[in-house]
Amino acid sequence: MQINLSELIQSEGKVISIEANYEPDWYKTKIGTYKIIEKQPFQMKFTNLGQKKILLETKFDFTLQMRCDRCLEPVLQKIAVDVSQKLDMNKTEQQRIEALDEINFISGNHLDVEHFVYGEVLMNLPMKVLCSEDCKGICNQCGINLNHATCECDKTEYDPRMAKIRDIFQNL
């Protein structure tokens, strides 16, 4: 969805509210692809601050189905985004690139809602997803989920710096 901001830019002090949607049912990143379980239409409020500067305000929530980083079980992760951002419409795309401006969802006088939402959700993704704080993960030898069962694997961890000495003793 593209929002044309041309009319808003020309009227100082004007306020526009637009209901927007994020259309895709999947959220794809370089790390993985996540199913969007819940999303609601959200309001985007644009306020002309004068001198071709716009204040963008919006709030929205997503629920993504992700995997626990320890045991790989599916986890529903709620992502809450609250944005209040000033947009300088005086800059060209080239000026934004040179200034390392992260506003890459504006092209000319148009705002790309999907690109905007994608970036905001990406910024709010958790660093680590856990099914519970006390998740035991999976066994690194047999792969069993340690939250549901125990295994009989040897849990002894050896110092890798001592590998050569251990090899000598095993050969004797």
Side-chain angles (χ1 to χ4, degrees):
M1 175 180 181
Q2 296 279 330
I3 297 175
N4 188 350
L5 301 173
S6 299
E7 183 180 319
L8 177 68
I9 292 170
Q10 297 176 7
S11 303
E12 189 172 327
K14 187 172 184 172
V15 177
I16 295 176
S17 289
I18 297 173
E19 185 173 280
N21 288 310
Y22 185 72
E23 297 299 327
D25 293 327
W26 294 87
Y27 187 80
K28 297 178 183 178
T29 67
K30 290 182 179 179
I31 298 172
T33 300
Y34 311 110
K35 182 170 178 49
I36 300 174
I37 302 299
E38 184 181 334
K39 61 183 174 179
Q40 303 290 327
F42 55 95
Q43 293 292 320
M44 297 181 82
K45 180 181 173 186
F46 298 93
T47 306
N48 185 330
L49 302 174
Q51 299 175 1
K52 292 182 109 177
K53 294 187 177 155
I54 296 173
L55 177 65
L56 165 61
E57 299 171 295
T58 187
K59 291 181 183 180
F60 55 90
D61 297 325
F62 273 20
T63 302
L64 300 177
Q65 182 176 342
M66 303 177 90
R67 296 259 176 211
C68 175
D69 288 333
R70 290 185 189 158
C71 68
L72 304 177
E73 290 290 321
V75 177
L76 295 182
Q77 184 71 44
K78 186 170 186 169
I79 309 294
V81 177
D82 186 0
V83 178
S84 180
Q85 184 172 6
K86 289 182 183 176
L87 309 174
D88 188 354
M89 303 302 285
N90 292 311
K91 293 182 179 178
T92 64
E93 289 181 52
Q94 186 61 35
Q95 289 172 328
R96 284 190 180 106
I97 291 170
E98 290 171 3
L100 300 176
D101 195 347
E102 295 182 1
I103 301 175
N104 56 0
F105 49 85
I106 293 189
S107 178
N109 290 336
H110 291 84
L111 182 137
D112 184 348
V113 174
E114 285 186 23
H115 205 77
F116 167 74
V117 171
Y118 179 86
E120 292 301 323
V121 171
L122 186 63
M123 296 280 286
N124 286 284
L125 284 176
M127 294 296 281
K128 187 171 205 123
V129 177
L130 297 176
C131 59
S132 68
E133 287 296 320
D134 60 343
C135 177
K136 297 175 184 172
I138 58 175
C139 175
N140 62 359
Q141 294 176 12
C142 68
I144 193 168
N145 186 336
L146 297 173
N147 295 313
H148 303 300
T150 57
C151 64
E152 301 301 321
C153 297
D154 183 16
K155 303 281 190 240
T156 308
E157 292 186 27
Y158 297 104
D159 187 344
R161 296 172 293 181
M162 302 298 284
K164 295 290 184 188
I165 294 173
R166 195 169 41 254
D167 289 344
I168 292 170
F169 284 113
Q170 286 177 350
N171 290 337
L172 291 176

